Amino acid sequence: MEPDFLNAFAQSTAFNQLPFENDIVQGEKKKVIKPTSRNDPKLEGLQVLLIDWINSILKQEHIIIKSLEEDLFDGLILHHLLEKLGSLNLDVEKIALTENKQRQKLTVILEAVTKCLQVEESQLKWSIDSILKKDLLSTLHLLIAIAKHFQPDLAIPPNINVEVVIIERTAKGLKTENAVEYITDCKETLEDQSNTDAFDELFTHAPDKLEAVKEVFLQFVNKHVGKLGLNVKDFENQFADGVILLLLIGQLQGFFLNLRDFFLNPSSETEMLHNVNLVMDLLTDEGVLNVHLNPEDIMCRDVKTILKILYCLYSKYKTKKRED
């Protein structure tokens, strides 16, 4: 075996859990999480999140789980979970005691999951065998997919990955390869995440705080456009034509927009769209806007989009002092 394989599993407890030659047929590949990744606080936090999520859904069933791989392998919990989340009536036994019965039950359950997710079998990151063998990586992939489909508002943290060893049996023995595998969605930066998903969270889970957030941004806007004799009070309507945003950008970035470049008093949707597109171009050129936004959403007075635009400006220029 290659040295990396031995070094990756120097811990004796983890080493004894490896699938050796008797467990891997020739040509088959298996992924094993490195022990160092198993102890990653982010991974442990994800497991706690999923355990709490399952327990909250199955509370009325008086079902409590403590371990993902130990409690989900036989299909019992997955069966109850799918019944609650998707109202799926699966033709399987409630309790499967033998491995053969468990395999039959998991086959029905995972076929139902694949049908709901509408994904090809080749794209799946789990299998009947891996779940039955209590493989944590496969179990996590399966639960994340179920959660994203049936409960997309569940706040799953991004960028959680693990170091794995990919093990393959060849004619010469075990071949190994180190890799990094993402379990949750990969976001470029947490800052980008805060600029997008944070507002989704605000609207979904804290709508009572929305007015306070609007007020913070209005104070920021008025601080800089006030010297032009402007005062913004109507959050939904005064940004729709792009004029206030263009003047605000000019004040923040220290330049005066030529009146021939935009419509100061737009009288049509075409002129409004011209202004908003110019806003997007200016923010993108200056590296202020780091997410994709639809200009027409601003024209349609979409509050979430307006908040995201103002957040980008606020993040970069909140410490800029107003000139006298």
Side-chain angles (χ1 to χ4, degrees):
M1 292 185 289
E2 297 176 4
D4 285 346
F5 181 80
L6 296 175
N7 293 336
F9 294 96
Q11 299 180 19
S12 58
T13 55
F15 192 87
N16 292 331
Q17 296 171 3
L18 285 177
F20 287 110
E21 295 186 34
N22 293 334
D23 299 313
I24 306 177
V25 299
Q26 188 164 333
E28 181 186 9
K29 289 185 178 181
K30 288 192 177 183
K31 293 178 182 178
V32 182
I33 301 177
K34 288 186 177 182
T36 50
S37 279
R38 275 185 172 268
N39 298 326
D40 188 318
K42 291 183 179 179
L43 182 63
E44 292 177 347
L46 178 63
Q47 293 181 72
V48 171
L49 171 70
L50 292 172
I51 289 172
D52 290 345
W53 172 62
I54 293 172
N55 287 338
S56 66
I57 293 172
L58 302 183
K59 184 178 180 180
Q60 294 181 345
E61 303 289 328
H62 304 291
I63 294 175
I64 297 177
I65 71 167
K66 296 182 179 180
S67 167
L68 296 180
E69 62 263 53
E70 292 292 336
D71 292 335
L72 272 71
F73 80 97
D74 61 359
L76 175 64
I77 301 300
L78 289 171
H79 184 192
H80 283 279
L81 190 63
L82 290 174
E83 282 187 333
K84 284 291 185 181
L85 289 172
S87 300
L88 300 179
N89 294 317
L90 303 177
D91 186 19
V92 294
E93 298 179 11
K94 285 289 184 183
I95 299 178
L97 297 178
T98 67
E99 183 176 343
N100 186 47
K101 292 290 186 181
Q102 292 168 356
R103 181 177 294 275
Q104 292 176 1
K105 183 171 185 174
L106 273 176
T107 300
V108 174
I109 291 172
L110 295 184
E111 284 178 352
V113 171
T114 302
K115 185 177 180 180
C116 288
L117 300 180
Q118 297 182 339
V119 294
E120 298 292 333
E121 188 173 345
S122 60
Q123 297 176 313
L124 300 179
K125 297 181 179 180
W126 59 85
S127 67
I128 297 170
D129 283 335
S130 62
I131 301 299
L132 270 175
K133 292 181 180 180
K134 305 179 183 180
D135 181 75
L136 178 60
L137 185 61
S138 296
T139 303
L140 287 170
H141 279 307
L142 174 60
L143 288 175
I144 294 295
I146 291 174
K148 288 172 66 176
H149 179 78
F150 290 105
Q151 194 169 341
D153 61 338
L154 183 65
I156 299 174
N159 298 324
I160 295 181
N161 60 70
V162 292
E163 293 182 327
V164 300
V165 175
I166 303 173
I167 311 166
E168 180 182 7
R169 184 180 181 183
T170 67
K172 297 181 178 179
L174 292 182
K175 178 183 177 182
T176 66
E177 177 185 353
N178 293 321
V180 174
E181 180 158 340
Y182 276 85
I183 299 175
T184 63
D185 289 339
C186 177
K187 304 289 186 181
E188 289 188 2
T189 64
L190 291 178
E191 184 177 353
D192 293 347
Q193 178 74 6
S194 68
N195 189 28
T196 55
D197 292 351
F199 291 106
D200 295 331
E201 289 294 310
L202 176 66
F203 277 74
T204 302
H205 300 295
D208 54 310
K209 298 180 180 179
L210 181 58
E211 292 303 318
V213 174
K214 286 182 183 179
E215 184 60 32
V216 170
F217 287 146
L218 285 180
Q219 290 178 4
F220 167 73
V221 172
N222 287 325
K223 173 183 177 181
H224 295 287
V225 302
K227 67 179 182 180
L228 299 176
L230 300 172
N231 185 37
V232 181
K233 296 181 179 179
D234 189 339
F235 197 94
E236 281 74 12
N237 293 307
Q238 285 186 264
F239 295 105
D241 60 10
V243 174
I244 294 295
L245 289 172
L246 287 172
L247 296 175
L248 174 63
I249 292 170
Q251 291 299 303
L252 292 172
Q253 296 184 358
F255 63 82
F256 179 77
L257 279 173
N258 194 311
L259 294 177
R260 292 177 296 182
D261 293 335
F262 72 105
F263 298 94
L264 187 60
N265 297 295
S267 57
S268 67
E269 289 189 356
T270 301
E271 294 178 352
M272 292 171 62
L273 183 59
H274 171 88
N275 285 353
V276 175
N277 278 326
L278 182 56
V279 168
M280 299 295 191
D281 290 342
L282 290 172
L283 293 180
T284 302
D285 290 345
E286 291 296 322
V288 177
L289 187 64
N290 50 23
V291 294
H292 174 72
L293 299 177
N294 187 353
E296 294 184 354
D297 288 340
I298 297 177
M299 293 171 53
C300 293
R301 298 164 175 79
D302 181 72
V303 174
K304 191 184 297 184
T305 302
I306 296 170
L307 284 171
K308 290 177 180 180
I309 286 280
L310 294 178
Y311 175 82
C312 289
L313 290 166
Y314 179 82
S315 296
K316 184 167 184 177
Y317 298 108
K318 60 186 175 182
T319 58
K320 181 180 177 67
K321 294 182 179 181
R322 175 181 172 180
E323 299 176 3
D324 294 328

